[in-house]
Each structure stands twice: as structure tokens, then as C-alpha cells.
Amino acid sequence: MKKRGLLVFDLDGTLVDSLPSLAKAFNQTLEELECPKHSLKDYKQIIGDGAETASERCLPENRRTREDIRKCLDLFRIHYENLWHEAKPFPGILDLLLKNASQNKLAVLSNKDDSFTKLCVEKFFPGIFDFVTGYKKKNGLKPGPKGLLEIMAAARRTNNETCMIGDTATDIRTAVNSGTKSIGVLWGYRNKKELVEAGATYTSESAQHLSKLLSQRLT
């Protein structure tokens, strides 16, 4: 990236490991709804596209009515409000962000609800990010481009000056739909094949490797 470019990071699975807390909140919900619970591995595929979609995915097929999805979503939000703080930044992430904060504008774009996104970023990375955006109804969910385009406009950066960084095909497709570069990170919840097939410009296996990649002035 050129100096003072715009680096836009996904949150869950990219900056923080929130899988255990998300799984715990959903499994508590499923227990209350008298539905089977899922393993931590299962939740790697369940989450990533917003809480409502995850609520539908975690329910048994015969319980995926509009009413049950809403009940699941409402209960999940109650439980997650007490558990979100259990997430932890991935190794090396804080150093990566601090190193790049002086060279680029930094942003977070998540499919997590906007309020929870802001709470998580403020807790784990206070004062580091220039822009923080979660799910807002007016923008819709990733891979729709509205959230990323909104951040780009606020940062006054073009698609050539912007890079989306995330761990799922959803993040990569957001970049593709916005005409920006993208980096798929391999320490998150999905695999390299998914990221490459989605159109990732680059992939990175660690925060240290990502730091080197960003320092090479991507073109």
C-alpha cells in the first residue's frame, strides 16, 4: 500500500478470536430452545454473515421458521452481551496495527452488529482505528459494498488506495464488489482455498507476514 492508504479489517476471525464466545452464546440459546448444540468447528462455518444468518444456520432445518430464527437471534444477543468481552486479539495483531497506524488510515468493517463492533474495538484496540463500522440496516451486510464504500468516502480514499483484510470469502467478495485489493488471512475461521476462489489479491499466514506484505507497497 502507498503511505496513508486505507486498510480495512474484518473483526471476528481477523483481529480477534471470538469463536469460543460466539459458540457459547449460540449454544446457550440452542439449549433454551431445546435444539442440538454445535461444536466449535461447526461455528467456523455458521458465523461470518451476520447474527441473523448465523441464527438460521445453527437451528435444525425443521426449526428454521421466521419465528424461531427471531427467537434464536433475540436470545443470542442477550447471551452474547455477557460474553463478547471473552474474545482475544490474535497473536501479533496489536503490534501490526501500531506499526501501520502511522503509515495508513485504519478501519474496521464487520458483519457483527454495529454496537457490538464498536464495543469490541474500543475494548481491545482503544484509540487505534480511524473508522469503525458494523452492521447497519442502511448499508446491509458484507459482501455488499456499501459499508466499505462509506468508509472509503469518509477517509477520502479511492479503491486503488484501499485494501480489505479478512478471513472469509465474504470479506474478499466485499473487496471485489468495491473494486479494491484484498488480503485473505489464514489464521481465522476459513481456509486458503475459499479465500483464493473468492478472488483474494494476496493471502497471509500470520500477522508478522501480513506486516511484511503491507510494507512492500502493494501495487
Side-chain angles (χ1 to χ4, degrees):
M1 295 293 293
K2 295 179 180 179
K3 284 194 174 183
R4 301 306 296 168
L6 173 62
L7 304 180
V8 184
F9 293 84
D10 170 54
L11 181 60
D12 299 298
T14 301
L15 296 176
V16 297
D17 184 6
S18 55
L19 190 66
S21 56
L22 287 164
K24 190 184 297 185
F26 271 119
N27 278 341
Q28 287 178 1
T29 296
L30 291 170
E31 186 173 7
E32 290 180 30
L33 293 175
E34 299 183 338
C35 293
K37 294 186 283 188
H38 298 282
S39 69
L40 201 62
K41 182 179 179 181
D42 289 338
Y43 280 106
K44 288 185 177 184
Q45 299 298 321
I46 289 171
I47 67 169
D49 295 302
E52 185 171 357
T53 299
S55 296
E56 180 177 1
R57 287 173 178 165
C58 74
L59 287 167
E61 288 190 14
N62 65 341
R63 293 287 301 273
R64 292 176 182 174
T65 64
R66 183 172 298 181
E67 181 181 358
D68 278 334
I69 292 169
R70 175 52 56 182
K71 285 180 181 177
C72 184
L73 178 61
D74 289 344
L75 285 170
F76 162 75
R77 284 172 170 160
I78 291 170
H79 291 307
Y80 191 58
E81 191 167 358
N82 297 320
L83 294 167
W84 66 267
H85 60 276
E86 295 183 5
K88 297 180 180 179
F90 283 105
I93 286 296
L94 186 57
D95 288 341
L96 166 74
L97 296 175
L98 291 173
K99 178 179 179 180
N100 280 277
S102 62
Q103 300 175 355
N104 301 283
K105 288 183 178 292
L106 303 182
V108 171
L109 178 61
S110 175
N111 273 344
K112 188 193 292 289
D113 289 352
D114 190 60
S115 59
F116 279 129
T117 298
K118 287 179 167 60
L119 281 172
C120 287
V121 173
E122 180 58 29
K123 175 178 173 60
F124 298 116
F125 312 108
I128 292 179
F129 286 94
D130 300 289
F131 309 96
V132 179
T133 298
Y135 167 70
K136 299 176 184 176
K137 188 175 182 179
K138 67 171 184 173
N139 290 336
L141 293 164
K142 296 180 291 182
K146 289 185 177 180
L148 181 52
L149 293 175
E150 182 179 77
I151 292 173
M152 289 163 59
R156 298 182 180 180
R157 292 297 181 269
T158 67
N159 54 357
N160 289 329
E161 298 169 321
T162 302
C163 185
M164 179 77 206
I165 301 166
D167 70 306
T168 71
T170 297
D171 301 308
I172 304 306
R173 292 188 183 117
T174 304
V176 171
N177 291 337
S178 305
T180 71
K181 302 179 187 70
S182 62
I183 300 175
V185 303
L186 305 182
W187 58 81
Y189 305 147
R190 304 291 174 83
N191 59 46
K192 184 174 182 177
K193 182 175 183 289
E194 174 180 322
L195 298 171
V196 171
E197 289 181 350
T201 314
Y202 304 92
T203 60
S204 180
E205 65 267 16
S206 69
Q208 293 75 19
H209 177 257
L210 178 56
S211 185
K212 291 179 182 178
L213 190 58
L214 292 172
S215 70
Q216 293 172 356
R217 297 171 63 90
L218 303 182
T219 56

